[in-house]
Amino acid sequence: FFASLGLAAHLGRLATAAARLAELPASAIDIDEGVVVRGNPTALQRLVVNLLDNARKHGAPPIALRVAREDA
């Protein structure tokens, strides 16, 4: 199942909750409005949770997640 997903709306709460679980401040998450992807919502959620968890376990501070559109 694929859908067009507005990332700010779809991932905003999820990313904030995942950041809290990964012991990161909410300010570490920045998702631009208007960024849309076509994908599987469940897989996208799993990707963000795994990304933040791996960053906490294996990365070095500061850890941040930024999603923005870059026009080519």
Side-chain angles (χ1 to χ4, degrees), residues 14-57:
L14 171 73
T16 301
R20 188 171 34 253
L21 290 173
E23 300 174 356
L24 300 172
S27 61
I29 308 298
D30 183 17
I31 303 172
D32 283 355
E33 292 290 330
V35 176
V36 176
V37 297
R38 184 161 170 74
N40 180 300
T42 302
L44 186 60
Q45 290 176 356
R46 188 172 22 239
L47 178 140
V48 171
V49 170
N50 287 341
L51 178 71
L52 291 173
D53 188 49
N54 286 337
R56 180 188 60 82
K57 288 178 182 175

